[in-house]
Amino acid sequence: MKGQIGLGKILIALVLITIIGVAGIVGARMIIAPSFKAANNDYRYQWHRFANQQEWKDFKVKYRGNSYCMDCHANEFKQVEASLHAKVSCESCHGPAIDHPDNPTKLAIDKGRGLCLRCHSDLPYRPTQYSELPKGDIKLKLIDPDNHNPEMECIACHNPHKANIK
Amino acid sequence: MNKHSRRDFLKAGIITIAGMSLPLGAIEFLASEAKADIAKQSNIRWIFLVDSTKCIGCGMCVKACQIENELPYHINLARTWIERYIIKKDGKMIVDSPKQGRDGFIRNNPLGIEVPNVDIAKGMFVPKLCNQCDRPLCVEVCPVGATYKTSDGVVLVDRKWCIGCSACISNCPYSIRFIHPILHVAEKCNFCYHRITRGLQPACVDACAFGARKIGNIHNPDDPVTKIVKTNRVTVLSPGYNSKPQVYYIGLSHEVK
């Protein structure tokens, strides 16, 4: 019997190690992520690091919206607003403003045929009625890209700001 | 021939109980602290309304989402995407979403094969995005508490806390989530949380010229989206998972899963 370590002692040692381990993890969490909380006492779905919500709120906005463009480009804005393209966002064709005019100083405009065809290419299952304008339902103008002046840039004949033929 | 004395047993027992109660105690301590912070409870619950009858598949929403949320443009992963369903007269269905619909649907060539117009019985475009479930199944399985539902109902991912284990990805019934190719953490649509909390609309909503996407607050009875959801005929995707999805659809066909 002498010199042998009792099972009880091993048990105690194991339990102690477990306690120290768990206490260490909990302690480390409290130091590293002191804001871990369950909002509304909802541990199932709302247990999180509270600071993260602010981190997401601080994420950079790139698409600034038409009202941001309006201040400097009032004429173009009014032109588009009066046209059938009124609901098309400026940044859909011009790209995100981000911090324009500081950065980028110039926006890269997508003038390609593909951009116009996203909406105006005729597909048998593409809805043909457009009802987003105050004037009521109109027909969405659809063309067959293979037969409607293929290879030509749309803006050679059409003005996208006026949504008409030049 | 060890003998376990009663004393040893009691000692070990007491220590075990003390050990087990410690982490619980620590969590309770945090919770009581948290209660004060949450006194100002949010009266916003963001919901989304997709009118799939209006979607023409231009893909402007996907493009705007990719840029707004700093996702590499060339990857075949997106926070929101557009599916094209073509049901042929022989009953066969073709579903595709080339590059998540990012470049729009310009040709009638699902999966690279032209379908003659006469063979098509019906077709439709269906935008998909995170359903911001009321009972998010993805949150339930996160082992580290890195994904959670905010008080205003949006499910977020804590990029600093996520370990990239993908448990949430495999538990999402809508396959919304994926691993961010650069950050290697779970990535998902969050209704552009940085925009809606600043009073803006999500990038996809602003980009949609067809009124197919709308965001609203279900707790505001005067909200036009809330009015539609409460009084019109709307549905949600796969309600059987009982995750209580909060993206409502108008004009969804039964073929859409």
Side-chain angles (χ1 to χ4, degrees):
Chain A
M1 296 291 277
K2 247 188 198 169
Q4 265 189 318
I5 307 165
L7 188 63
K9 278 186 183 163
I10 295 174
L11 256 177
I12 290 168
L14 278 176
V15 167
L16 273 174
I17 290 165
T18 315
I19 290 170
I20 292 164
V22 170
I25 291 166
V26 172
R29 276 212 140 182
M30 284 159 72
I31 294 159
I32 296 164
S35 62
F36 245 91
K37 290 161 198 170
N40 310 316
N41 252 347
D42 178 3
Y43 284 94
R44 195 169 182 186
Y45 299 117
Q46 293 180 270
W47 167 254
H48 67 285
R49 192 171 60 89
F50 261 43
N52 181 244
Q53 224 158 308
Q54 194 55 46
E55 285 165 22
W56 273 116
K57 283 178 188 172
D58 294 340
F59 200 78
K60 184 141 181 66
V61 171
K62 285 108 198 158
Y63 281 83
R64 305 295 290 270
N66 285 9
S67 56
Y68 182 77
C69 313
M70 189 176 69
D71 291 342
C72 306
H73 304 282
N75 288 339
E76 287 82 355
F77 178 83
K78 279 180 199 147
Q79 208 172 43
V80 175
E81 207 181 26
S83 78
L84 299 176
H85 275 169
K87 297 286 173 187
V88 180
S89 160
C90 307
E91 288 164 305
S92 283
C93 308
H94 291 266
I98 311 174
D99 290 323
H100 175 77
D102 298 330
N103 176 41
T105 46
K106 225 170 156 39
L107 299 183
I109 310 170
D110 186 352
K111 290 179 179 170
R113 210 173 146 88
L115 186 83
C116 308
L117 290 176
R118 280 167 174 260
C119 301
H120 294 290
S121 148
D122 194 6
L123 298 174
Y125 33 80
R126 180 158 274 168
T128 52
Q129 185 183 298
Y130 187 69
S131 47
E132 295 308 300
L133 294 171
K135 65 188 273 187
D137 295 350
I138 55 162
K139 275 253 177 233
L140 182 62
K141 292 206 176 70
L142 298 173
I143 56 122
D144 178 358
D146 294 333
N147 294 322
H148 184 96
N149 306 313
E151 308 292 311
M152 257 177 95
E153 278 204 343
C154 307
I155 53 166
C157 308
H158 301 275
N159 180 350
H161 283 176
K162 290 183 178 168
N164 65 357
I165 297 165
K166 277 177 187 171
Chain B
M1 265 176 262
N2 283 323
K3 248 207 260 165
H4 315 283
S5 71
R6 180 187 294 238
R7 178 173 301 192
D8 282 347
F9 177 75
L10 285 174
K11 247 190 210 165
I14 287 164
I15 290 166
T16 309
I17 289 163
M20 284 166 73
S21 62
L22 175 70
L24 282 177
I27 289 164
E28 277 311 309
F29 155 70
L30 289 175
S32 61
E33 194 192 46
K35 275 174 200 156
D37 278 349
I38 305 145
K40 42 173 179 22
Q41 235 232 36
S42 158
N43 57 356
I44 298 173
R45 204 303 172 199
W46 298 108
I47 56 162
F48 208 93
L49 181 67
V50 176
D51 189 342
S52 62
T53 61
K54 286 182 177 171
C55 180
I56 66 141
C58 69
M60 284 300 187
C61 49
V62 183
K63 183 187 174 190
C65 174
Q66 295 289 83
I67 296 170
E68 179 70 28
N69 293 297
E70 298 175 11
L71 278 164
Y73 202 63
H74 60 275
I75 56 163
N76 283 332
L77 296 162
R79 285 178 166 209
T80 182
W81 67 92
I82 302 174
E83 290 171 1
R84 165 168 63 183
Y85 288 72
I86 296 171
I87 291 105
K88 297 208 291 190
K89 283 179 182 156
D90 60 9
K92 284 191 181 132
M93 182 166 75
I94 310 166
V95 186
D96 76 333
S97 183
K99 288 181 179 164
Q100 281 63 46
R102 185 195 77 196
D103 297 334
F105 297 82
I106 288 168
R107 304 195 146 270
N108 184 24
N109 58 346
L111 309 170
I113 303 153
E114 294 272 347
V115 182
N117 288 6
V118 286
D119 288 352
I120 297 171
K122 64 172 169 178
M124 63 212 126
F125 296 103
V126 183
K128 295 263 182 94
L129 68 161
C130 175
N131 286 281
Q132 316 292 357
C133 303
D134 245 354
R135 301 180 67 250
L137 303 178
C138 51
V139 172
E140 284 189 2
V141 294
C142 180
V144 293
T147 185
Y148 59 96
K149 195 177 80 173
T150 62
S151 294
D152 44 10
V154 177
V155 177
L156 296 178
V157 176
D158 186 340
R159 285 178 167 176
K160 286 183 185 162
W161 216 244
C162 177
I163 55 171
C165 74
S166 309
C168 53
I169 294 168
S170 53
N171 216 44
C172 173
Y174 307 101
S175 301
I176 293 295
R177 287 174 173 246
F178 55 95
I179 289 286
H180 193 291
I182 294 164
L183 304 169
H184 304 294
V185 294
E187 178 73 359
K188 69 182 282 296
C189 157
N190 56 16
F191 283 1
C192 282
Y193 199 64
H194 59 295
R195 294 176 66 92
I196 55 177
T197 49
R198 280 186 175 106
L200 298 166
Q201 291 192 310
C204 60
V205 177
D206 271 355
C208 184
F210 294 83
R213 289 167 173 262
K214 287 187 175 89
I215 190 156
N217 170 18
I218 195 92
H219 289 171
N220 177 8
D222 299 325
D223 191 313
V225 171
T226 302
K227 280 182 183 164
I228 292 171
V229 168
K230 291 205 168 162
T231 58
N232 284 23
R233 298 169 192 197
V234 292
T235 186
V236 292
L237 288 166
S238 305
Y241 288 101
N242 198 24
S243 60
K244 300 203 166 66
Q246 297 299 313
V247 173
Y248 295 89
Y249 282 86
I250 296 173
L252 207 58
S253 195
H254 70 94
E255 289 92 352
V256 178
K257 290 281 171 319

